[in-house]
Amino acid sequence: MAFHVRGTVLPDGDCRDLWILGDRITFERPGAECVTLAEGGFLLPGLVDVHTHPGAVGDASTPPGFDAGLFAEQIDAHRDAGTAALRFPGLTGQVPDEVRNAPGAPRMITAGRWLAWAGLSRSAEFHTVTDELAAAAVKEALANDGWCKIMGDWDFDAPPVPYEVMRAVVEAVHAVGGRVAAHCQSADGVLQAARAGIDSIEHGMGMPEECVGLMAASGAAYVPTLTAFAGSRAEVAARGTARAALWLSGHDTMIRRVREAHDAGVTVLAGTDSAPFGNVASEVEHLVAAGLPADAAVGAASWAARDFLGLPGLVEGGLADLTVYEEDPRRSPGVLRHPRRVVVRGHVVR
């Protein structure tokens, strides 16, 4: 049994017929019996959220933990919204095999545990604190899907991980074929990460202007997670403290850097960070509001993200992840919230 879909294939923009055979797509009509899923509309490679932490539980008064049942529910929310691939830059627990391997489950790229250098001023309980950051990073990259996640900083007013330590991590992980994501929420933290050649900078609050050129030169991606920060802005502003003012200034700066990074050739990607899950369309809208061209913002949650993670799009022999929309999301990004059809790993989700 094969599935047939006809529509405008993005990002190329050609109207074509494609067929889904198992977990692959083809543009050549197969001999098998075919069922047509959609005729007309716009075909988008399955959405991607490159920064999400499903399954996390706990708050300021409760030690953080991992709930496997909650993880499964939040993965389903991603999938039902058309998100066909997820990157987890830091999890507090192991991905359950039965969820990861379930039919129609989003493709999952893990980076293991959050890793924090022992020299940081303080670390939340969910960080794995170590003096041997490079060795720990290599271990996580090899044990997961080629990625590890380190904390480039933690406090706004404390020194970040030194350049020499960050560079040692990057060199060690790259030597085993892995990549490094870095949490950065201070200007100095972002600068040291960019100088060290980190593969993706998460958040980037207060990013100094010179980082844009450094990231473009090294091929680093920028994942600003604007959705999460936008949800916190009003609460932070209400505090009226000097630390809140620093936060607000950093937030304004990171928004400006989105368009600047794009214009310089940096790959800007969509990641939501936190609840609600299955909400990468919101991140696309925030990227557009920050000045990213609509086609680039949609690509940040689709074809550009898939390319960065090594996942083929809608090409001959590509992975059978696609969503169908009534309108062109490059012209109307809000349509991402309303997929007509969702196919993940060749399974019809909607």
Side-chain angles (χ1 to χ4, degrees), residues 45-310:
L47 296 176
V48 184
D49 190 330
V50 301
H51 188 124
T52 181
H53 304 293
V57 294
D59 53 32
S61 61
T62 307
F66 183 80
D67 185 314
L70 183 63
F71 178 90
E73 291 178 13
Q74 292 169 344
I75 289 296
D76 285 350
H78 277 300
R79 178 205 62 201
D80 293 346
T83 311
L86 304 164
R87 186 184 62 153
F88 309 135
L91 284 180
T92 51
Q94 294 295 315
V95 177
D97 288 341
E98 62 273 19
V99 177
R100 181 167 190 154
N101 300 322
R107 302 173 200 278
M108 303 178 199
I109 297 173
T110 65
R113 303 168 295 172
W114 284 270
L115 297 175
W117 178 58
L120 286 180
S121 58
R122 66 179 184 184
S123 296
E125 294 180 34
F126 57 82
H127 300 159
T128 299
V129 180
T130 176
D131 287 308
E132 302 295 333
L133 190 60
V138 167
K139 183 177 179 180
E140 291 300 317
L142 292 174
N144 290 281
D145 295 299
W147 279 90
C148 62
K149 167 73 173 292
I150 65 172
M151 309 304 294
D153 54 33
W154 190 244
D155 294 333
F156 285 116
D157 50 358
V161 177
Y163 166 79
E164 294 77 11
V165 176
M166 296 283 276
R167 185 60 194 167
V169 168
V170 171
E171 291 179 347
V173 174
H174 284 183
V176 298
R179 292 197 280 181
V180 186
H183 163 108
C184 299
Q185 281 188 239
S186 72
D188 286 344
V190 184
L191 180 58
Q192 301 301 356
R195 289 181 59 215
I198 290 291
D199 297 285
S200 72
I201 290 180
E202 317 296 308
H203 316 306
M205 178 170 279
M207 179 187 292
E209 186 175 358
E210 66 184 287
C211 292
V212 171
L214 292 169
M215 294 169 68
S218 69
Y222 180 30
V223 187
T225 63
L226 299 177
T227 299
F229 282 85
S232 302
R233 186 177 179 99
E235 177 187 347
V236 173
R239 296 172 188 166
T241 63
R243 188 175 181 83
L246 188 62
W247 190 101
L248 295 170
S249 175
H251 184 219
D252 290 338
T253 298
M254 68 189 287
I255 292 173
R256 289 199 304 274
R257 296 289 181 256
V258 167
R259 180 58 190 252
E260 294 170 1
H262 168 76
D263 289 348
V266 175
T267 298
V268 178
L269 299 178
T272 57
D273 194 4
S274 54
F277 295 86
N279 194 34
V280 75
S282 173
E283 186 68 13
V284 171
E285 292 166 353
H286 281 295
L287 290 172
V288 171
L292 206 65
D295 61 337
V298 174
S302 181
W303 55 83
R306 297 182 74 86
D307 183 63
F308 184 74
L309 296 175

Side-chain angles (χ1 to χ4, degrees), residues 9-11 43-48 82 84 301-303 306 312-314 321-323 325:
V9 179
L10 300 181
L43 315 184
L44 192 68
L47 296 176
V48 184
S302 181
W303 55 83
R306 297 182 74 86
L314 300 182
D321 301 333
L322 66 90
T323 48
Y325 299 96

